[in-house]
Amino acid sequence: MQFESTTTLETAEPMVTPLHAAPLLRRKRTKESIITMVLFLAAFSSVLVTAGIVGTLLVESLTFFQHIRLVDFFTDTQWTPLFSDPHYGILPLVSGTLVTTCVALAVSIPMGTAIAIFLSEYASKKWRETLKPILELLSAVPTVVYGYFALLFVSPLMQKIFPEMGMFNMLSAGIVMGIMIVPYVGSLSEDAMRAVPISLREGSYAMGSTRLQTALRVVFPSALSGISAAYVLALSRAVGETMIVAVAAGMQPNLTWNPTEPASTLTAYIVQVSLGDVPHGSIGYQTIFAAGLTLFVMTFSFNLVSFWLRRRYRQAY
């Protein structure tokens, strides 16, 4: 006797009829709308925070400039707002900021770029996975530790080269600041160079180029957009650094372009006044907002230059 059996195949998902599809579609659209709104609020909050910071600087600085003329602010060579004979020339603070930043970039850009080329083009995977985390550990060291390292180790070492140099100077502060921002340059530049397609490297090798020629003439120009972003991030980090220059540079407003002399920076002065000794609302207290606005304009200008460079080299390559 032969038995015939029939089996009913059950699908994993029930069939969705048009009657059930409408509520599912509405729920999906509601979820998408909620996610879109949350993402929009997250992005818009950054705009609000930036607008609030700029607005605060402008309002407080406007009160300051009602008492101090812009001509005196940009042309006076003395910055002594807390003295009995006050002067409000921002140039000493600007010169100190620029000198320490230039020294830091002179250290960090060549060193960071060389590290990025080595990690991207020469190091094996094992070496890269070992060295890159160690490099990024430099960013975890507190800046006040860097400041005392500059004061107690780098300054005595520099005094052996420049015997006339004092303990507080911009050179030591700038060198240590450059060491501090090497991870920003090296890590971000290496990421940009690793993102260059391997086909460009293979084409360069096929033409008989060496590794160094490929790195400098093919990979580096192709990754220049990301590398320039790393440079600008390092520049902004150097301009905004506070504790290293406050500890090692001397906090003495001095209009000089000689890095072996002591000086103060915009950020160091803001910290000095913000300690609480200056009465709130006084003209001396409002100088920190004028210095902050100057620092903001400098950083914003550097970012505009970086945006122009990235746009230009993206079109070129």
Side-chain angles (χ1 to χ4, degrees):
M1 182 179 292
Q2 186 177 2
F3 295 95
E4 295 182 359
S5 60
T6 60
T7 59
T8 304
L9 298 177
E10 295 183 359
T11 58
E13 296 180 357
M15 295 181 62
V16 180
T17 62
L19 184 62
H20 298 94
L24 290 175
L25 186 59
R26 282 196 297 269
R27 284 197 294 269
K28 288 182 178 180
R29 289 179 176 176
T30 302
K31 292 180 180 178
E32 289 292 334
S33 300
I34 294 174
I35 293 174
T36 303
M37 181 60 65
V38 170
L39 295 177
F40 172 77
L41 291 176
F44 190 65
S45 62
S46 63
V47 178
L48 288 179
V49 171
T50 304
I53 294 173
V54 176
T56 302
L57 289 175
L58 289 176
V59 171
E60 296 293 338
S61 298
L62 183 62
T63 305
F64 170 80
F65 287 115
Q66 288 177 351
H67 300 85
I68 307 301
R69 298 188 307 167
L70 279 173
V71 176
D72 297 334
F73 184 74
F74 289 111
T75 59
D76 197 344
T77 58
Q78 296 183 35
W79 179 262
T80 55
L82 306 181
F83 289 14
S84 58
D85 182 22
H87 290 268
Y88 300 94
I90 198 65
L91 290 180
L93 298 182
V94 172
S95 66
T97 302
L98 293 179
V99 170
T100 54
T101 299
C102 290
V103 173
L105 294 180
V107 173
S108 62
I109 288 181
M111 188 182 299
T113 304
I115 292 173
I117 292 175
F118 173 76
L119 292 177
S120 175
E121 305 302 316
Y122 288 91
S124 62
K125 183 179 179 180
K126 181 180 179 180
W127 275 104
R128 187 183 305 112
E129 292 178 350
T130 303
L131 293 177
K132 193 170 182 180
I134 296 176
L135 174 67
E136 293 175 349
L137 279 177
L138 289 174
S139 303
V141 179
T143 56
V144 67
V145 176
Y146 279 114
Y148 282 104
F149 174 72
L151 180 64
L152 301 178
F153 179 80
V154 179
S155 286
L157 190 63
M158 290 293 103
Q159 285 179 330
K160 295 180 180 180
I161 303 175
F162 306 100
E164 71 282 358
M165 187 175 66
M167 183 63 70
F168 297 99
N169 58 85
M170 294 183 287
L171 181 61
S172 299
I175 291 174
V176 175
M177 196 190 312
I179 296 174
M180 183 194 67
I181 61 179
V182 161
Y184 295 93
V185 180
S187 182
L188 295 178
S189 298
E190 191 267 341
D191 291 338
M193 296 176 70
R194 293 281 295 174
V196 175
I198 192 65
S199 58
L200 294 179
R201 294 179 174 87
E202 293 174 347
S204 177
Y205 294 145
M207 296 296 292
S209 301
T210 63
R211 278 190 175 186
L212 184 60
Q213 289 173 333
T214 301
L216 297 180
R217 300 182 181 180
V218 177
V219 178
F220 187 87
S222 300
L224 192 58
S225 176
I227 293 174
S228 63
Y231 290 169
V232 172
L233 178 61
L235 173 63
S236 301
R237 185 69 179 85
V239 170
E241 174 53 36
T242 304
M243 291 309 301
I244 294 178
V245 291
V247 172
M251 296 185 69
Q252 176 182 345
N254 184 20
L255 181 58
T256 178
W257 302 103
N258 185 0
T260 61
E261 295 184 8
S264 180
T265 63
L266 291 165
T267 53
Y269 173 76
I270 293 173
V271 169
Q272 181 182 3
V273 176
S274 300
L275 294 178
D277 297 333
V278 181
H280 182 80
S282 63
I283 188 66
Y285 181 81
Q286 289 170 343
T287 55
I288 65 174
F289 296 100
L293 182 62
T294 305
L295 183 64
F296 172 79
V297 171
M298 290 173 59
T299 308
F300 185 70
S301 301
F302 293 147
N303 281 274
L304 286 180
V305 173
S306 170
F307 176 78
W308 175 78
L309 288 174
R310 290 200 305 268
R311 186 173 181 181
R312 177 181 178 182
Y313 283 107
R314 278 180 179 176
Q315 293 174 355
Y317 296 98

